[in-house]
Amino acid sequence: MELQFEIKGELKHFHSVELQINEGEKQVSAALQQDRSKPGHVIVSCSASHASLPKLTFRVLVAPPGAPGMDAYDLHVKDFVDLDKLRR
């Protein structure tokens, strides 16, 4: 899987992307390595089994200047991938 976005607007102060795996009450997260070879863009990627896709979330972290913490934007993979087509 690959997530690519422009560093502008709400993502202007982009900090990092984490991959989260949610399994019931258990949650595991890992920071993903960023590819910034395309100016003004960030690309992150990872591999996952079809069975794990509904459990995966890309969490984009943004650190606005002067803010006490970071803002998080959660992108649930199941909202962007047609899981039924992948199972065929």
Side-chain angles (χ1 to χ4, degrees):
M1 294 183 301
E2 182 177 279
L3 172 67
Q4 179 178 184
F5 56 90
E6 288 185 80
I7 304 173
K8 66 178 188 178
E10 292 183 21
L11 302 177
K12 181 179 178 182
H13 301 289
F14 163 77
H15 180 267
S16 61
V17 177
E18 295 178 351
L19 179 67
Q20 295 185 330
I21 304 167
N22 299 295
E23 181 106 28
E25 293 182 21
K26 298 178 186 176
Q27 183 183 68
V28 177
S29 64
L32 296 176
Q33 186 173 359
Q34 306 167 24
D35 174 354
R36 293 189 182 219
S37 59
K38 186 175 178 184
H41 289 78
V42 170
I43 302 169
V44 295
S45 62
C46 65
S47 297
S49 69
H50 290 138
S52 67
L53 293 178
K55 304 171 190 174
L56 301 180
T57 300
F58 286 107
R59 175 166 276 189
V60 180
L61 298 171
V62 178
M70 290 194 217
D71 294 333
Y73 297 90
D74 289 343
L75 305 171
H76 303 281
V77 171
K78 66 183 178 183
D79 294 340
F80 296 92
V81 175
D82 187 339
L83 300 174
D84 291 331
K85 285 185 179 179
L86 291 176
R87 290 188 181 128
R88 292 181 185 173

